[in-house]
Amino acid sequence: MLTVANPIYDSVFKYLMEDERIARTLLSALLKKDVVNVETRRNEYTNIGRDGLSIFRIDFGATIREADGSQHLVLIELQKTWVETETLRFRQYLGAQYANTANMIPNSREGYAIPMVTVYLLGHQIGDIEEPVLYVRRNSYDYNDREVTKGLPNPFIDSLTHDSIIVQIPLLHGQINNRLDKVLSIFDQSHQAAGTKQMLNIDETTYDGDDEMQIIVSRLLAAASDAQMRHNMNVEDEYFSAIESRDTTIMLKDKKIADQNATINEQSATIDEQSATINEQSATIDEQSATINEQSATINEQSATINEQSATINEQSATINEQSERIANQQEMLRTSIKMLVGAGMSPEAVALNLNKPIEVIRQLMNR
């Protein structure tokens, strides 16, 4: 077992890729092409990001030899990050490459650009994608989704679109099945040395007979024994420790805010439910009030009718009383007349005949 420097560190990775042979080895494996020449382009090393350390980028001009022996230049934008970062940063760098006139094909009257491939070495997993290496290739289709191949590749299309290769470093812990697996095995973080993530323990026999991989291992061995390299890795650890601490604080605050928002949303939902219940109850009360008002109106109408009937009855009672009083007066006058006639010596029969009243009425009045 050999203990080598961990190339996930920017300082180690930069040191590794400064070797043109190693750069060709890595890019050849990623592109699955024969990269015969690699040129590091202007402004090649950048660490622009959060707190001055987040994304490491190298821009290459790679000459690729195809199976038929033809060669052509490809621009490769390699970006590496070992913390989760916003895709906006990648897009900003990509936009800068598209806008850079130095990336145009020399002496191209049409203003065509050099074909570009973007490579992303990520120190984190993206979503639920389980493949450690993802090739995102562009194809052309007609309206009926049939692939168009005639006339392609085309410099106009190549100037405006590009392929991408995404490497998820945390998933690099499987068997070595192909050339790319072997080359990327030097990034396998499951081989971290005990007590430090700055070093990896690798099995030297894995690379027996592979001169290119032996060069990479030797370079990483040299980095592991370099005092300045160790210092640079310590600086990166300090930076990222501070960033992670800050991000943890932010995440905890975000979680607290999210929990509070969830509580507020639950309370709002409860209030909405209660409001809906109150509105339903208010609607029921309004309906009941309307029914009561209708019943009250009916009762008032019935009361008015009863009052009218009562007034009629009172009027009739008054009339009956008047009639009763009149009859009583008439009977009193008749009784007085009977007494006078009887007192004058007339017999009851004579009085009945004289007054033209039945004898029973005469006798009844005489006895009162």
Side-chain angles (χ1 to χ4, degrees):
M1 299 296 292
L2 296 177
T3 300
V4 301
N6 191 345
I8 200 172
Y9 283 81
D10 291 348
S11 52
V12 178
F13 185 72
K14 176 179 180 294
Y15 177 72
L16 194 66
M17 298 302 287
E18 284 175 342
D19 188 299
E20 194 263 348
R21 294 169 300 176
I22 294 176
R24 282 194 290 109
T25 298
L26 176 61
L27 296 179
S28 294
L30 286 168
L31 297 173
K32 294 190 284 188
K33 299 279 189 179
D34 182 14
V35 177
V36 297
N37 181 56
V38 172
E39 176 189 353
T40 305
R41 300 174 68 84
R42 247 181 348 180
N43 303 321
E44 62 273 21
Y45 304 115
T46 53
N47 304 72
I48 301 173
R50 295 178 303 176
D51 298 312
L53 196 62
S54 180
I55 297 175
F56 183 80
R57 184 184 72 173
I58 309 177
D59 297 333
F60 296 104
T63 302
I64 296 176
R65 181 164 49 216
E66 299 292 349
D68 60 3
S70 62
Q71 297 185 9
H72 61 92
L73 180 65
V74 173
L75 177 65
I76 299 175
E77 180 181 294
L78 189 151
Q79 299 186 48
K80 183 186 73 67
T81 177
W82 63 326
V83 295
E84 293 191 32
T85 188
E86 304 86 349
T87 55
L88 177 60
R89 299 189 187 279
F90 292 133
R91 290 174 60 88
Q92 288 172 337
Y93 298 151
L94 183 60
Q97 291 293 76
Y98 270 99
N100 191 347
T101 57
N103 295 331
M104 308 305 290
I105 297 176
N107 303 320
S108 172
R109 290 183 302 175
E110 297 84 357
Y112 292 139
I114 301 171
M116 180 168 58
V117 177
T118 56
V119 179
Y120 302 101
L121 301 179
L122 305 180
H124 59 90
Q125 185 174 356
I126 48 177
D128 297 324
I129 300 175
E130 298 178 350
E131 295 298 326
V133 182
L134 193 67
Y135 287 85
V136 183
R137 294 195 174 101
R138 51 183 169 50
N139 293 312
S140 301
Y141 302 89
D142 64 11
Y143 179 79
N144 296 312
D145 291 330
R146 291 189 296 261
E147 187 173 357
V148 176
T149 58
K150 184 179 180 180
L152 296 175
N154 179 276
F156 178 83
I157 295 175
D158 291 340
S159 296
L160 301 174
T161 58
H162 67 277
D163 294 340
S164 293
I165 304 172
I166 301 172
V167 178
Q168 301 184 86
I169 294 176
L171 301 182
L172 297 175
H173 48 73
Q175 296 180 347
I176 296 177
N177 299 313
N178 52 53
R179 180 60 177 170
L180 180 59
D181 287 344
K182 178 179 283 190
V183 173
L184 292 180
S185 65
I186 62 168
F187 292 94
D188 189 343
Q189 298 303 298
S190 65
H191 295 158
Q192 284 185 8
T196 175
K197 61 183 178 181
Q198 295 182 0
M199 298 293 156
L200 301 179
N201 290 326
I202 63 173
D203 185 356
E204 185 181 17
T205 61
T206 304
Y207 310 114
D208 284 346
D210 192 328
D211 293 339
E212 292 177 338
M213 292 305 300
Q214 290 290 347
I215 292 173
I216 294 176
V217 172
S218 297
R219 189 82 168 171
L220 292 177
L221 274 171
S225 60
D226 186 279
Q228 183 60 43
M229 191 69 63
R230 296 294 292 270
H231 171 74
N232 293 339
M233 286 191 284
N234 289 333
V235 170
E236 289 187 45
D237 281 337
E238 291 176 3
Y239 269 109
F240 281 113
S241 176
I243 292 173
E244 289 172 357
S245 176
R246 184 200 63 186
D247 287 351
T248 299
T249 302
I250 292 174
M251 284 190 294
L252 290 175
K253 289 182 179 179
D254 289 343
K255 185 179 183 303
K256 184 177 180 180
I257 292 172
D259 291 341
Q260 291 175 340
N261 288 336
T263 301
I264 292 172
N265 291 334
E266 290 177 2
Q267 293 175 342
S268 296
T270 301
I271 292 172
D272 291 340
E273 291 177 1
Q274 292 175 343
S275 297
T277 301
I278 291 171
N279 291 334
E280 291 177 1
Q281 293 175 343
S282 296
T284 301
I285 292 172
D286 291 340
E287 292 177 359
Q288 293 174 343
S289 297
T291 300
I292 292 172
N293 291 335
E294 291 178 359
Q295 292 175 344
S296 297
T298 300
I299 292 172
N300 290 335
E301 291 178 359
Q302 293 174 345
S303 296
T305 300
I306 292 172
N307 291 334
E308 291 178 358
Q309 292 174 345
S310 296
T312 301
I313 291 171
N314 291 334
E315 291 177 359
Q316 292 175 346
S317 296
T319 301
I320 291 171
N321 291 333
E322 290 178 358
Q323 292 176 348
S324 297
E325 185 178 354
R326 188 166 57 249
I327 291 171
N329 292 333
Q330 291 175 351
Q331 288 180 345
E332 183 63 27
M333 291 174 62
L334 181 59
R335 189 169 66 79
T336 301
S337 298
I338 290 171
K339 287 182 178 181
M340 290 177 60
L341 291 175
V342 170
M346 292 182 66
S347 64
E349 290 79 2
V351 173
L353 181 63
N354 184 270
L355 295 177
N356 195 25
K357 298 291 183 181
I359 185 63
E360 292 79 6
V361 173
I362 297 302
R363 285 176 179 166
Q364 186 179 12
L365 291 173
M366 289 176 60
N367 293 330
R368 289 185 177 179

